[in-house]
Amino acid sequence: MIPKGELFQTGNQERIWQKYCGFLELSLSEFIEIQEQLLMDQIELVYDSPLAKKLMPRKPRDASEFRRLVPLTTFNDYADFLNNKNEDVLAVKPYAWTHTSGRGGSFKWVPYTKQAFERLGISGIASLILACASQRGEVNVRPGIRLLQNLPGKPYYSWIGASSMLSQLDILMIPPLEGPDVETFEKRVQIGFEMALRTGVDVLGSLTSVLVRMGERFAEGSGKLRISRTMLHPKVMSRLMRAWCRSKIYKRPVLPQDLWPLKGLICYGMDTSIYREQLVYYWGKEPMELYGGTEMGLIAIQAWNRKGMTFIPSSSFLELIPEDEWLKSRESKGYQPSTVLLNDVKEGRRYEVVITSFYGMPFLRYRVGDLIKIIALEDTEAGIKIPQMVFDSRADDLIDIGGFTRLDEKTVWQAIFNTKIKHVDWCLRREYEQAQPVLRLYIEFKDDIDVREAEHLIDAQLMSLDRDYQDFRSLISTKPLRATSLPPGSFKRYYEAKRLAGVDLAHFKPPHMNAPESAIQELLGLK
Amino acid sequence: VEILDVNTYLVMPIVQSIFAAVLIVFVIRGRVRSPVHRLFSLYLLALAVWGGLIFAMRVSPDVEHAYTWEKVLIPMAPLSAVIFYHFTIRFTGVRVANWWLPLAYVVCLLFASIAGTKLLFAGMQTRPFGYAPIPGPAMPLLGLFSYAMMILALFALFKSSRTSSSAVERNRNAYVFAGVVISLVGGAFDILTLAGLPLYPGAIIGNIVFCLITTVAIVKHSLLDIHVVLRKGTAYILASVLIAIPFVAVFLLVAHFFEEIGSSPWVYFLLLIALAFILPQLWQWIQRWVEKWFYRDRYNYLKALGTFSQETQSITDFTKLGSTMVKLLTGALRTLSIHLLQPLPLSGEFTVTFSSDLHHSSSHIILKRESPLVKWLERSKEMLYYEDINIIPQLQGITSKEMETLQQLRTKLIIGLKTSTGRLSGVLILGPKLSEQPYTVEDKQLIYTVCNQMSTNLENARLYNESQQEVEERKRAEEILRENEEKLRRMFESVTDGISVIDLNGIITDVNQRTVEIHGFNSKDELLGRSAFQLVAPRDHKRVTNNMRQTIKRGVIRGMDCTLLRADGSEFLGELSTSVLKDASGNPVSHITIARDITERKLAEEKEKRLQEELNLAGRLAAIGELAAGVAHEINNPLTAVLAFSERLLRRSTDEKTTKDLKIIHNEARRTAKVVENLLTFARRRESEKQYANINDIVQKALELRAFEFKSANIEVITELAPNLPQVVVDFHQIQEVFLNIILNAEQAMTSAKGGGKLSIKTQQMGGHIKISFTDTGPGIPTEHLDKVFNPFFSTKGEIGGTGLGLSICHGIVTEHGGRIYVESEPGKGTTFFVDLPLAREEKDRSKVVHKEMTYR
């Protein structure tokens, strides 16, 4: 095998591109072929393990038999074994354990095999290359590239993702992965940026919300740079000077892009597309989106043209539940919805993602709980022959109102964003008023805004963004949206209370959609 | 010597420029977008410009001009050193501080800025080889800086070589490293010359050597992945030039000589002919020389290939071809292991068929038919480096098991052997070379050539083998067919039924021996060609014809009874089963008829039927006997009382009328007693007293008893009693009763119908029994009564009277004696009763002995 980083050292861009981003050149039939070959390899690896035996009564001969034979699963099917880190039931001894947190706040422990870890690294480097590329075949990554990651550390998935990338290439991780443990995520972000002031950054990977907030702070605090002791370092000083000069040349406030001229920007979160323009303004780069998760690894990446995301064939075996089947299964718990493969998807349709792990990982026909949308069957502009997707929502984040209107988080977020109302955060859920279902939006404004006017504006935006909402509204002849203004500092208090309670990082914030009653009570200050 | 030195002095910089310029083309052609390629091209450009400027300096008419050129060219030394260092940083990936390279370029600029002053060079001087600069105070700094840059570049190359796991990479680095060292040594000569030592400036020579070594690295080890192959043509042009020079020289020399002595033109003509003879030899010699010295590996490989081609030309043996190939490549490439994989005929899975490594010569499956690797090799024209498996996106689906196997085989190169139709006929897996060196361009060319030739040869051998196998299989099939035919023929002949093959016109085309036998012919020839209807009784022709028509419709018709004919015209009962024989397209071509002689079977069936009837009768009789015995027993007691009291009353009666009535009572009671007695006789309540007796005596006694009645009834009795009949063990009286009963029935039948007749009685011994027949000439028994005559209480005598028990009693008696009684009758002609009585055991034995004695006599 090619030793770590050697490809990058020899400077053969074509080979680097082929190895990491070659999946973009595949035809759909080649994609399916690879998927089925890896699935058969996976079956061969795991079929006699106790965990697989529980779900797979016999060894299937091909992919279609596998799909007939094995029922769809959820984490509950694995929880007893994985949450106890019971390695005896697994087919391959794990190389590392990582965890994510479920909706209810419970942890989901996931074992990564060595091979899966390496494959994740390859996908990670692919994302790095594509984040820095502006055209096909461009490899703007070389050993020593500086990557600032504003993401949670060990044992979160982001940590394992970053570690796996290090197995492929020498990357200067900011902050270092094996650095001292820090108390909070915020502290980690702070350390990262402070370090980046000295080292500089080539690629930035972060939650979109963090980047937007930072950009806003920069824009708001322009010219009021507070000199701290850490800034007295000559490297920091020179960086600040360069940033100040740049801002003067372009006659605008100092922005993050002046401090860190980036090669690539990788963003996480469904709000990326909403804040795209802001991100470009603040950070000087078009953000690149990824789709993945702890249980499935990196599933899809945006190409250099930043359109839809392209599926990676070697991550997991991918099945998709069409929306109508998904709805049936939501209504009837016992219903086993049928699935389709990527060569059978329809443009413009929503699907729930089902994955089967490769490389000896444990998940078989696992319902990830995400809804994606196929926006095109291929990307003609980039010459990609594989269907293109965007993340739609979490399957349980859809709010169903009136039976046929299903609002997702992204639409509501976009609607609020489009009104340009300055706000801290929001929550939306279905409530009843005199037996009539209404959408109740709990929102904390930054400025003194008339809540009724805000309600009117958001309602108008929802109507323009969502046809079903519009239909429903005309049907009932009144707007179903009710906005409630939260007292200032509600969300901050909430985060603080959660942090003090030692809640997992993923649950510091209340969910945007369908927040539980307790969270709403806390936000309203009633609890 | 001086002229030569001057020329070399002038030519060298031009050579450097041209060499560097040519290399730029190759490098840029390889990867115009790669920063590494661009930097290397830039370095070569610097060398080219530097060479050009030196040339300009050296051809200057005077020291002033030379000094001007020297000022222009001197910044190229540090600049080219910095560019080279920059290249090595990018090439090796060694990390340096960001400011370091810009600083180096800035220093270059500084040197360039003072190049016009006397700080670097104070002036020029003339030396034996040409112009040489007079160093200024800053010159050592420039030298040091340039050397420092090159040494840092060497350090980076060294570090990269140490950390690289790839032999290819280490090799490439070694070439560049060597080039730089030579270049530095050459540069040292320049510095020493400047210091006043009487040396020749060597920097240019060093640079040329660097370019040469780089070229070798590019050509042999794909430095910067530039796959440039110096065409043979280039070498031949060179060879042609080398030939042309002596050729022209000799020609001119000779021409000049003859011009001086004034010879005629034919001398030139002869000279040309002589050269024409010499030239091809010379050409071949130079060709070989070029091949040997410029392409040593290729020369060796070509020799190996030549041998291989000769060896494999005549080989049609698949196994030998494979092993020859593996042997050749192992030897020529000095490879640790080579495995030839070929697909299994049915599954298409690839297994090792030949291997240079004995440990892996097993036939376990290495690659599955649907393996991405197999598919890729099928599609691609390239050979695959093991490292590239992880690079090519279509190979992402390769299974871990296959990867493990490839690792176990220490795979370095994978080559697909493809037929002219593009089918993958094999896969060649090469392990590492013994020297651990990477495979060179020459290696790959050899592999390509061998594989191309071998794939065709192997395919041809495979086809040849297959055709051979096909021929053998056909022979085997024919043999099996013959055996099967033989077997079928034997079966055909050994079948106990007659089988005939009859064409659609009804002509017999084939028969088995049994058919000949059952129809009574002597040989098959007598039957072949005959109409099948000649073997069927004419009255059944129509049925048989219909049967055959039905067969064509329904396929098979079974079990049709008909009368068949023998050769002598006699008839016998046969059963025919007919089926249709169809050709490959399903059209009927002939009938197959199975004929069975069922005469014996019919007889047996009849016999069985009769026995069954008798059995039924015996059963019925036994049941009735039981009943009769019970009734008789119950009646006997009251009847005895009636008889006794009626007789007593008769004795005392005085009244005539009363006496008459009492007589009637008494007579009827007696008649009833008689019936009861008969019933008891029928029920065999009485024990029989068996003893030896002569049947003829019993017959005679019975006839005597009825002699008077015969006379009066006008009945003629004819006896045909066999003399010397063996004795039988019977109850004399019971058998006599049987005979009397039969005789009485015959007598009554003849008397009542014809007023007399003829009664023939015949006795004879037949096997183990004696048959007695009583034939009358009476009216006969109607057919519908024949099977009832032995039933109890069955009587046709009407008013004549009769209990209907007579023949039933006879049946009982005869059956009790182990014999048989039966009747044959033809209405209007008469009736025959047969009684078969078994011989006593001793009599049977005696009879056998007698029979034997007679036989011996």
Side-chain angles (χ1 to χ4, degrees), chain A residues 1-3 6-7 9-13 15 18-19 22 26 30 33-34 37-38 41 119 135 143-144 314, chain B residues 31 34-35 90-92 95 165-166 169 225 370 372 375 386-388 390-391 393-394 396-397 399-400:
Chain A
M1 288 295 98
I2 299 168
E6 194 163 310
L7 264 183
Q9 284 175 14
T10 54
N12 188 331
Q13 291 203 9
R15 279 164 68 80
Q18 227 189 358
K19 174 171 180 176
L26 293 171
E30 285 173 332
E33 210 170 78
I34 292 169
Q37 282 156 349
L38 288 173
D41 196 25
R119 179 48 66 178
Q135 56 182 320
S314 50
Chain B
R31 304 275 186 278
S34 157
R90 278 300 183 104
F91 179 60
T92 58
R95 287 188 61 77
S165 64
S166 159
E169 210 51 47
D225 289 312
E370 63 277 9
K375 285 184 179 168
Y386 178 69
E387 289 82 7
D388 287 352
N390 267 9
I391 294 206
Q394 283 81 5
Q396 287 176 64
T399 64
S400 41

Side-chain angles (χ1 to χ4, degrees), chain B residues 28-49:
Chain B
I28 285 293
R29 250 187 61 197
R31 304 275 186 278
V32 73
R33 292 171 46 76
S34 157
V36 180
H37 288 71
R38 278 192 232 168
L39 279 169
F40 193 65
S41 306
L42 200 62
Y43 172 64
L44 291 170
L45 183 66
L47 288 185
V49 172

